Amino acid sequence: EELAPDAIQQVIELIEANDYDLVIEFGSGTSTLLMAQALTKVQQRTGKHCTQVAFEHLSQYHAKTLALLKQNQRQDAVQLIHAPLVPYTAPNGMAFSYYDCETALHHLAWQHPPRSRILVVVDGPPGATNPLARYPALHHLWPQFKDAHFDFLMDDYIRQDEKETIERWRDELISHDLEPQLTTLKFEKEAALLSVKTAKA
């Protein structure tokens, strides 16, 4: 599913307002291109480079997004990774099908300094994949980027599974003495922004 236009606009505003070191997108499409264009403008203004990565599990969507990036001369600005869904067991024992992204995230963690600021756009996998399909995102990222400041933008927050995923993430972060901040966004399909500094002050 594509991000709704109002959600894309919110992502662009976040990119313009924050000094991100890394932008990660689960899912890809027009939003991938628009984020790349926004990050290019920020780099031209500030001189700071931000790494952009998008994980796409469907080969036809991967090809479609790549063609869109090439058409706009942005293919070198984005690490667009074909990451098929593979079995994943969460720390709580729940089983999922989730992006095959652990190796790529491990490499990214090595390349980025502690206390990096990271925007994570969660727009996949599709809700029909399995219950709480997007829940694994936090658990793939949190162990790799221990001291990061995360902004998670969860799309499709109008759905119960996405609401429950955010609630579980909040509870787990709070149980680790962290202080996640939740902002709900009244968009077409609704969205939620969960921000957390995982480094202890």
Side-chain angles (χ1 to χ4, degrees):
E1 290 174 65
E2 285 276 3
L3 277 177
D6 48 12
I8 292 176
Q9 184 56 40
Q10 177 67 40
V11 169
I12 290 169
E13 287 173 14
L14 285 167
I15 286 169
E16 288 172 347
N18 296 285
D19 197 15
Y20 290 118
D21 299 288
L22 178 59
V23 172
I24 297 171
E25 186 179 17
F26 290 109
S28 75
T30 310
S31 54
T32 312
L33 171 63
L34 295 174
M35 280 192 263
Q37 291 172 333
L39 286 166
T40 298
K41 286 180 186 170
V42 170
Q43 185 173 354
Q44 287 168 348
R45 190 178 75 239
T46 66
K48 179 176 176 178
H49 172 71
C50 172
T51 306
Q52 182 184 357
V53 182
F55 294 103
E56 177 56 66
H57 71 289
L58 293 170
S59 52
Q60 64 266 37
Y61 279 102
H62 179 272
K64 191 176 169 185
T65 303
L66 184 59
L68 187 65
L69 291 169
K70 284 181 174 174
Q71 192 183 328
N72 290 273
Q73 289 84 47
R74 286 291 185 281
Q75 69 271 24
D76 296 332
V78 183
Q79 294 180 39
L80 178 64
I81 299 171
H82 180 222
L85 300 184
V86 294
Y88 168 74
T89 303
N92 64 5
M94 286 178 70
F96 295 89
S97 288
Y98 201 70
Y99 299 98
D100 186 7
C101 60
E102 285 200 66
T103 302
L105 290 173
H106 185 67
H107 287 311
L108 286 166
W110 274 101
Q111 293 161 8
H112 288 81
R115 298 178 186 266
S116 290
R117 184 151 190 153
I118 304 172
L119 172 63
V120 186
V121 179
V122 187
D123 191 37
T129 307
N130 41 240
L132 304 180
R134 299 175 182 182
Y135 173 80
L138 177 70
H139 294 284
H140 276 76
L141 289 159
W142 190 4
Q144 302 277 16
F145 300 91
K146 283 285 188 192
D147 297 328
H149 179 155
F150 285 106
D151 290 331
F152 287 92
L153 185 88
M154 174 75 80
D155 193 34
D156 303 308
Y157 196 60
I158 201 165
R159 300 194 303 222
Q160 192 55 41
D161 268 19
E162 275 63 24
K163 285 184 166 70
E164 189 175 333
T165 294
I166 288 287
E167 205 50 50
R168 286 181 181 224
W169 287 359
R170 269 184 85 187
D171 290 346
E172 288 164 22
L173 291 163
I174 289 167
S175 75
H176 284 79
D177 298 324
L178 298 169
E179 299 176 3
Q181 306 295 318
L182 178 63
T183 307
T184 54
L185 305 160
K186 294 297 178 188
F187 294 161
E188 179 188 332
K189 295 186 289 180
E190 296 191 16
L193 181 65
L194 188 71
S195 299
V196 61
K197 291 180 184 174
T198 57
K200 299 272 187 6

